[in-house]
Amino acid sequence: MRWAQVSVVTTHEGADLIGNILMELGAAGTEIDDPSLVNAYIDAGLWDYTDLPRAEDTETVTVRAYLPEDARLEESLLTLAARIEGLRLTDAPIGAGTVSHTFVADEDWAETWKAYIHTEKIGRRIVVRPTWEEYTAQGDEIVIDLDPGAAFGTGAHATTAMCLRWLEHIVCPGMRVYDVGCGSGILAIAASKLGAGEVIAMDYDPVAVAVAEENIRQNGVTNVVTCQSDLLAVCEGLAQAELITANIIADIIIRLFSQLDRNLAPGGVFLASGIISDRIADVERAAQENGFTVLDMTCEKEWAAMIIRRTSDMIS
């Protein structure tokens, strides 16, 4: 079998969104061609890069992945194009979003990728285990079973890892949780295994919903976690949540503030991640304008995760 190397031209902030789609279409992993990294190496004086010209355009990155050349490939490419257009309609910062593909020599990319993905402990208790590895929980550890080839969000990315670490501190027994833009469902599953009493995972992308539902079933938490199509709009008329998580992008997080007040219970916490470093000030400003305050923040690489609460809750 040959493999199609699929390339999508996007932006730094759009790279995770595009990677999400490619993983859900069956890619075993993604690689990112980022010209700003080459410039950083040149500036650092690393000899391997001294003969390379500095990149002029450092805002454009290319995300690549490998899909099998089988009966599903044409449909996968059409789905990719349609979902990129869907992101564009939501004003997601994906840049050009152009798609191209070439065919490469026969190689089992999925099996090759497995050599680089292993069981990983994130935080004090959470262990993320790829489905092909064996692992027995130690002490009070909780194990989340996920196949990186099935969906984006295994805990390896900084935005997801920061959220998982925060969940260990925030989730209380019986807590009601809304996971907005759930992707693989990893945060919803973690919240349920940490003791949440009811979790609603939601994503506007029906493919992500299907992937999350399978992961929820595989982890045996269907009695706690349900999955819905759409974002916070599906929670209208439901009880408010003590915790709302959103590991998306800054632009969507900013738009969520207009709905947050009626969906977050008094004293509740909004855990927002997927915020690239140069958008931190924008999110802080939007929080303040909508009556919320950023209480705490963790940063890893070029990403930030924020703990946000109503300003009035802090005063009272």
Side-chain angles (χ1 to χ4, degrees), residues 100-132:
S100 61
H101 70 278
T102 59
F103 291 101
V104 297
D106 185 19
E107 182 174 352
D108 191 347
W109 291 103
E111 292 302 316
T112 300
W113 191 255
K114 287 182 180 181
Y116 302 96
I117 301 294
H118 300 289
T119 300
E120 182 177 3
K121 187 170 184 177
I122 301 170
R124 191 184 69 83
R125 296 183 59 195
I126 297 172
V127 176
V128 181
R129 182 187 76 91
T131 54
W132 58 84

Side-chain angles (χ1 to χ4, degrees), residues 209-249:
V209 170
V211 171
E213 287 178 335
E214 173 57 26
N215 285 329
I216 291 164
R217 184 201 62 75
Q218 181 170 283
N219 281 273
V221 292
T222 55
N223 60 321
V224 176
V225 186
T226 58
C227 202
Q228 305 288 336
S229 296
D230 209 338
L231 298 183
L232 270 178
V234 303
C235 298
E236 293 300 318
L238 300 179
Q240 294 175 316
E242 288 81 23
L243 170 64
I244 296 177
T245 65
N247 182 19
I248 316 181
I249 59 173

Side-chain angles (χ1 to χ4, degrees), residues 251-307:
D251 286 321
I252 296 179
I253 289 169
I254 288 170
R255 290 202 290 271
L256 285 176
F257 279 114
S258 64
Q259 307 171 53
L260 196 59
D261 196 50
R262 59 182 178 269
N263 289 291
L264 184 65
V269 174
F270 178 37
L271 169 57
S273 188
I275 305 164
I276 202 163
S277 56
D278 61 6
R279 301 298 307 279
I280 290 174
D282 295 335
V283 176
E284 290 177 322
R285 186 181 309 111
Q288 184 177 23
E289 290 172 351
N290 286 273
F292 290 84
T293 299
V294 177
L295 287 183
D296 205 346
M297 176 168 50
T298 52
C299 297
E300 188 172 331
K301 298 180 180 177
E302 58 184 2
W303 301 97
M306 298 178 176
I307 298 297

